[in-house]
Amino acid sequence: MDIQHQEAKRGGAFFIERDGQRIAEITYQWQDTHKIVADHTWVDDSLRGQGIARQLLDVLVEFAREKQLKIVPVCSYVEVMFRREPSLADVAA
């Protein structure tokens, strides 16, 4: 699935669309120049159980690594994944 990125002045989203409709997304807001807040993850019921949320998180993490950012996990999914997965520690705020 093609994951797209939309940036705005205060934040952005990585998302998947089907027929012009978003069917999955992970959103973030800029906290400052070195931190982003992962504030929302959503996957349509038709995609549940396919690892889509993790794919979105992985893209967000790669974005943070490329930009040398830390991620503040406000979204419950991101918070749980940061606690479970040691490989994400380098981007955790």
Side-chain angles (χ1 to χ4, degrees), residues 3-18:
I3 298 176
Q4 300 176 58
H5 185 205
Q6 178 182 27
E7 287 189 88
K9 187 173 183 177
R10 295 184 183 200
F14 290 94
F15 62 95
I16 299 169
E17 282 187 351
R18 181 188 301 147

Side-chain angles (χ1 to χ4, degrees), residues 75-93:
C75 165
S76 59
Y77 173 76
V78 176
E79 184 179 14
V80 166
M81 293 307 294
F82 274 25
R83 279 187 277 145
R84 285 186 188 166
E85 185 59 57
S87 68
L88 303 175
D90 65 308
V91 294

